[in-house]
């Protein structure tokens, strides 16, 4: 799990996601399934009680607090959906 402070920290992960192009499946708002090397990982994007945006992924990298490409892929969908909700 990591706290999303800015898009800069995701740059590398976004580059990797663009190269690998994982499948992102929508589960419900804030919860996505992303394909990885060993099957699907679950990515959860939420705001914690202090208002921090947190991103959790079930892969090994995210367990160590790294911004993984699964999170980057899920976030690009999540941010788009969040914008739509605000516009509605
Ligand atoms: Zn991951």
């Amino acid at each position: 799990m990591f706290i999303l402070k800015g898009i800069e920290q995701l740059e590398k992960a976004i580059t990797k996601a663009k190269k690998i192009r994982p499948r992102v499946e929508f589960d419900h708002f804030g919860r996505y399934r992303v394909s990885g090397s060993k099957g699907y990982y679950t990515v959860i994007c939420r705001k914690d009680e202090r208002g921090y945006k947190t991103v959790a992924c079930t892969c090994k990298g995210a367990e160590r607090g790294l911004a993984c490409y699964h999170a980057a892929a899920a976030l690009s969908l999540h941010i788009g959906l969040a914008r739509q909700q605000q516009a509605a």
Side-chain angles (χ1 to χ4, degrees):
M1 198 270 285
F2 63 92
I3 294 171
L4 184 67
K5 297 186 190 102
I7 205 79
E8 314 79 53
Q9 81 194 92
L10 284 172
E11 262 173 23
K12 272 188 202 153
I14 290 169
T15 305
K16 200 171 173 187
K18 278 184 183 157
K19 209 165 139 191
I20 298 172
R21 293 172 178 270
R23 270 183 70 92
V24 182
E25 287 182 8
F26 176 77
D27 191 350
H28 58 76
F29 184 70
R31 189 185 165 100
Y32 310 92
R33 284 191 302 149
V34 183
S35 66
S37 54
K38 288 178 182 135
Y40 276 86
Y41 297 108
T42 301
V43 178
I44 297 177
C45 312
R46 57 183 284 269
K47 257 187 197 167
D48 74 4
E49 53 284 349
R50 292 165 301 171
Y52 289 116
K53 287 175 192 159
T54 66
V55 185
C57 177
T58 50
C59 77
K60 288 278 174 223
E63 254 173 39
R64 298 200 307 267
L66 299 172
C68 60
Y69 74 90
H70 317 113
L75 270 168
S76 65
L77 177 62
H78 181 71
I79 291 166
L81 292 171
R83 285 208 187 110
Q84 278 175 24
Q85 280 199 343
Q86 278 165 6

